[in-house]
Amino acid sequence: QVQLVESGGGLVQPGGSLRLSCAASGSIFSIAAMGWYRQAPGKQRELVASISGGMITNYADSVKGRFTISRDNAKNTVYLQMNSLKPEDTAVYYCSMIWPANYWGRGTQVTVSS
């Protein structure tokens, strides 16, 4: 069983930055593919960024050049650095283990507003 706990959300002005963290339990983190998803009100959950155990990253077109996903296997933690935030980035952000098993965190709210 894997538990994922997100932190770092909050209220930020447009153009600002936030860093989300996701702490994972269990021994498979270092090989796991991890992802950050988001869900805005009335919209489907979407993949924002992912990172493989081999450090290969992928991003949604809407966040390329603004968001950076990274991981620290010694700390069993994955991060999402979000810069140049826009109001349309407002959503609940979820951490997920994508492979070799699927687990989800409870989410953290990010609100971008002046």
Side-chain angles (χ1 to χ4, degrees), residues 13-96:
Q13 292 187 341
S17 298
L18 282 174
R19 188 176 82 155
L20 306 183
S21 299
C22 171
S25 65
S27 60
I28 62 173
F29 177 82
S30 63
I31 66 166
M34 302 295 297
W36 285 98
Y37 290 74
R38 68 185 180 188
Q39 187 167 21
K43 294 188 176 181
Q44 289 188 331
R45 190 173 297 188
E46 62 173 349
L47 178 63
V48 175
S50 65
I51 185 166
S52 71
M55 303 295 186
I56 296 172
T57 59
N58 284 288
Y59 297 92
D61 288 343
S62 58
V63 306
K64 280 182 181 176
R66 300 189 298 123
F67 290 11
T68 302
I69 189 170
S70 61
R71 65 193 297 160
D72 185 337
N73 289 340
K75 296 182 179 180
N76 271 25
T77 301
V78 62
Y79 304 98
L80 185 68
Q81 178 67 44
M82 305 186 293
N83 298 328
S84 303
L85 282 161
K86 305 175 181 180
E88 51 264 43
D89 295 318
T90 295
V92 178
Y93 284 70
Y94 298 90
C95 175
S96 177

